[in-house]
Amino acid sequence: EPSIAQAQAALSSIENIVTLTSQQYQLVSLILMVSYGAFFAFILFFVMSAHNLAPRYRLVPILSAVVMASAGISLLQEFSLWKESYAFVDGLYRPLAENEVFTNAYRYGNWTITVPILLTQLAIAMGLRQSDVNRRSLRMAVPGVLMIWAGLYGQFGAVGDFSHLNLWGVVSTIFFLWLILEVRQTLIAGMVNTPDILKPWPNNLWWFFLATWGLYPIAYALPQLGAKGEIVVAQQAIFCFADIATKLVYGLILARFVLRRSAFEGYMPAADAMASPPEKPN
Ligand code: RET
């Protein structure tokens, strides 16, 4: 017979021990659905925007399309699991209804793929040489992945005694601080070959990065405020908002930035070149 502590540990997410009102349940369904819908919708946009760019920057929106597909699939998975994990009984949504246990682990699995890609996009967009792109991407990906895996392991302690959650949260935060330093180094390295009129972009990217990546630890720590419906909703909402900001909005900003860089470097998309009138011979 498993002890109560073991049984609780097996449930691991607060979603499995909280009964939700109909509004709370529907709100989370809506948040998850809008998120994966947005990711799928933008795949085509990012693919199409590649051809306006100088060849060296084309991988930036293409990688955004890959991130959109990956995040869309994982949130669709999260959405179906959400639907299967509750039963509507006496006007409330009750967990563990159909022998299904909810978990946020799919999110962390998804970040393991997307975080290194997002960081690689940054190195490419900053116009670094190929060898520097490889070196800098690797130097950012290592703390990035360690941060996610420490958090993935830690989040299994979101129910019950919070020492596991907190210990691994601290370990993860140390990797996060290391990552922040590496990202800063990448932005500084890119400043050198960024044209003067585009110099504010890396600085703005820096603040955008801190403000949006910084949301994840907040969501992670939230279950400590209590296993309540409001907390379940808030955690899912923050995760989804952060995902849209760090992948989709970030992808739009980078796509815009490399479009400006391409134009500045004299690149003209083929269609525009044909549309402009032929030069008059002297
Ligand atoms: C965790 C655990 C608690 C401490 C910290 C964390 C940071 C997570 C971050 C995740 C970023 C994810 C992204 C995904 C986009 O696809 C793991 C929650 C610091 C920063 C950008």
Side-chain angles (χ1 to χ4, degrees), residues 226-244:
K228 291 184 265 191
E230 294 87 339
I231 301 293
V232 168
V233 176
Q235 192 187 38
Q236 292 300 330
I238 296 174
F239 273 145
C240 285
F241 179 85
D243 274 350
I244 291 181

Side-chain angles (χ1 to χ4, degrees), residues 99-116:
N99 243 354
E100 198 56 270
V101 175
F102 186 82
T103 173
N104 280 304
Y106 294 106
R107 291 187 178 279
Y108 292 74
N110 174 245
W111 302 338
T112 303
I113 312 289
T114 53
V115 161

Side-chain angles (χ1 to χ4, degrees), residues 63-234:
L63 288 175
S64 278
V66 172
V67 166
M68 294 299 103
S70 169
I73 289 167
S74 92
L75 281 183
L76 179 56
Q77 171 61 37
E78 206 70 83
F79 176 78
S80 355
L81 185 58
W82 176 258
K83 289 281 176 190
E84 287 162 12
S85 300
Y86 292 84
F88 188 56
V89 185
D90 299 334
L92 292 173
Y93 281 85
R94 300 184 191 278
L96 299 177
E98 292 162 40
N99 243 354
E100 198 56 270
V101 175
F102 186 82
T103 173
N104 280 304
Y106 294 106
R107 291 187 178 279
Y108 292 74
N110 174 245
W111 302 338
T112 303
I113 312 289
T114 53
V115 161
I117 298 178
L118 295 169
L119 296 168
T120 303
Q121 286 180 284
L122 188 66
I124 301 173
M126 292 309 295
L128 304 182
R129 279 186 292 129
Q130 186 60 52
S131 58
D132 286 334
V133 168
N134 297 344
R135 193 170 56 90
R136 294 255 168 226
S137 302
L138 186 67
R139 289 188 58 149
M140 294 187 287
V142 169
V145 168
L146 292 174
M147 168 189 83
I148 304 294
W149 288 352
L152 168 61
Y153 186 60
Q155 60 93 38
F156 288 114
V159 166
D161 153 25
F162 296 116
S163 54
H164 179 89
L165 185 81
N166 286 326
L167 172 67
W168 290 96
V170 169
V171 173
S172 177
T173 301
I174 293 168
F175 291 128
F176 187 35
L177 296 176
W178 171 11
L179 168 64
I180 287 174
L181 294 179
E182 292 294 341
V183 167
R184 177 131 196 108
Q185 291 306 310
T186 300
L187 290 169
I188 290 170
M191 272 292 188
V192 185
N193 34 9
T194 299
D196 275 345
I197 70 163
L198 297 181
K199 287 245 199 279
W201 285 73
N203 195 40
N204 294 339
L205 272 167
W206 168 246
W207 292 112
F208 184 80
F209 170 85
L210 291 182
T212 58
W213 288 52
L215 293 170
Y216 292 93
I218 298 174
Y220 175 92
L222 226 45
Q224 298 180 74
L225 298 185
K228 291 184 265 191
E230 294 87 339
I231 301 293
V232 168
V233 176

